[in-house]
Amino acid sequence: MTRKFKLSCKNLIFILVFFLSIFPLFSEDETKWVIAAEKFSYAKGQKETALLKSLSENLPASILEKLSQNQFRSVLPSENLERTRFKLRKERQALFLQLSSEYKKRDTLFMYDYSKWRLKRAIAEEEKKIKAIQKKIDENIAELKKAEEEAARKIELYEGPETSYEEKNDFQKFTDLLGGIFVNEESYVSLEELSFYKDDITSLFQISDKLKDEAHDSAAYAKEVYNAGINSLITGSISAYGDYLSVNVELYLYPAGEKLGSVMEVGTIQELELMAMGIAGQIVPLITNALPVKFSLSVSPESINPMVYVDEKLITEGFDDIRTTSGKHTVLVSADGYETVSVSEFFEGNKAYSVEVNMSLEKKSDIQVGLIKPVLGDLYINGNQLTQISQQKYIIQLNGSKSLGEFVAADGNTAFFYIPQNLIKDGSMVKIKPKAIDRSEYLDVRRKWAYASYSIFVLSLIPAFYTYSNFVNQVRLYNDLYATTYDEAVQWQNASRICVGISVACGVFWGFELMRYFMAANSTLPQKARAGDVVEVELPDLNLPVQEVLDAPESDLELEHPKEDENIEE
């Protein structure tokens, strides 16, 4: 029996609304906002030197390097309108060239020896082509007018006053809900991710020779820059007097050719990185077109006194009115006795946000760390020194998360270890076996041994191949009754066996040293702490004062320093 499915009107409306609501998800496309830099020029009166020539090429690349990769440009409707104007203007110019060409073709038809009927037909064909091009030009102009009207509408809505959701009455909220079902949400500010010219900070843009004398805001200059796929161009000039520099940097927006701003930095040649960082920091707001963002922060429970940081900047008061610029920001909230909360989010400009943070009590666990072998030194976990309660035992209070530790021996050598989260429980014990040696020196020794054993193995192959090939040759000569003896063939056989055996031994030796080198390289990773055993590491009586525990007699084991020649892979 087949069951038929009936699509009711109600189901049809539901499916239609569903597809209309998810349609924007499939129509979004990521766009890039490309920034480039050109070779800096020299200020008037400056002579070209090797230093200035190097600075004019390296300083722009250094500035681009200091710009964050995760920046976004807030593109306003006016900027999008300039792009549309440039695109349509380019199309109109191309259409006009086609139109002039068709007019010239039509006018030259009278010069040919055509019959009256053929001439009339040729003119009609050219008129048809001319009208088609004129129609495209008219459509282009109409599209431009529509784009300008749409941009004006968006600018008015974007800059006009907005009523917050809390200020609307119930009827307005209800009508907004009904209207939002069939109308996609419209954003008047689009976000474009910052990227570099040719995806390489060292690739500087170079204008053609015929436009070298043109100003950066001229139409011809702007056209060539924008046709290269560049939205913004960094230019600059350098002045040098002795070891001191003055750098004047300007930022231009294309295709409009608009100068967004200029910054100046003064410093010494020895502080080029600091100067580049200062310039990049000043032009970032110009690049991102950062819009203001306002958000209120509420922390619960209300009884705590939190420390609030926004991008590592301490906010001491006014949690209800925190203002910053659009973009990705990190909010960190900490308080005594509570776990630190950190969140990174992208805040869109010209909007207000409400951020709620629920603080959880910090989970602290008393962890004991025992040394399998007694070694003189200090233990640190998460940068905090552990309290020593006996010769081989330490104690620390952790917050329950995976922790990284370091053992510092008396001779200054270190050994890293980590405690997995599943072992961090109140009252638990972990054990470690630190090998505090100079790992760089040890790794270098093992590398030398691996290279030396490989060289010996390769050299041993030469006599092995030589003797074995001669043995095979002697056997062939003897079988073919040539001038050779049985004893001579046996001698080459014995020699080849000895040489091949030596090569095999050298190969085994090389493999052994290679494994030791790999183990030495692996030893640079932190050692994983294991669950402690009461039998292996005796727990002290925690009810005793710390000094009494330290004065208590320990086992007959003596403290020892790590030996330089001790194998770390044991």
Side-chain angles (χ1 to χ4, degrees), residues 389-391 540-542 544-554:
I389 56 178
S390 70
Q391 197 176 67
D541 186 2
L542 296 180
L544 294 176
V546 176
Q547 188 60 40
E548 294 185 18
V549 173
L550 292 175
D551 296 339
E554 189 69 35

Side-chain angles (χ1 to χ4, degrees), residues 476-502:
R476 185 181 298 109
L477 292 174
Y478 180 78
N479 292 333
D480 294 340
L481 301 177
Y482 284 98
T484 186
T485 62
Y486 176 81
D487 294 337
E488 189 175 358
V490 170
Q491 290 178 359
W492 280 109
Q493 182 184 29
N494 293 334
S496 67
R497 287 176 177 176
I498 295 173
C499 293
V500 170
I502 294 175

Side-chain angles (χ1 to χ4, degrees), residues 392-403:
Q392 293 176 244
K393 308 171 189 69
Y394 300 79
I395 190 170
I396 191 174
Q397 197 173 62
L398 301 177
N399 60 1
S401 59
K402 181 170 62 176
S403 303

Side-chain angles (χ1 to χ4, degrees), residues 490-543:
V490 170
Q491 290 178 359
W492 280 109
Q493 182 184 29
N494 293 334
S496 67
R497 287 176 177 176
I498 295 173
C499 293
V500 170
I502 294 175
S503 294
V504 172
C506 293
V508 173
F509 177 63
W510 170 57
F512 174 71
E513 289 297 332
L514 185 63
M515 290 299 299
R516 295 185 71 186
Y517 170 67
F518 287 154
M519 295 174 67
N522 190 57
S523 68
T524 58
L525 299 175
Q527 174 191 160
K528 181 181 179 180
R530 295 176 290 174
D533 191 1
V534 178
V535 177
E536 294 183 3
V537 183
E538 183 181 356
L539 293 173
D541 186 2
L542 296 180
N543 294 325

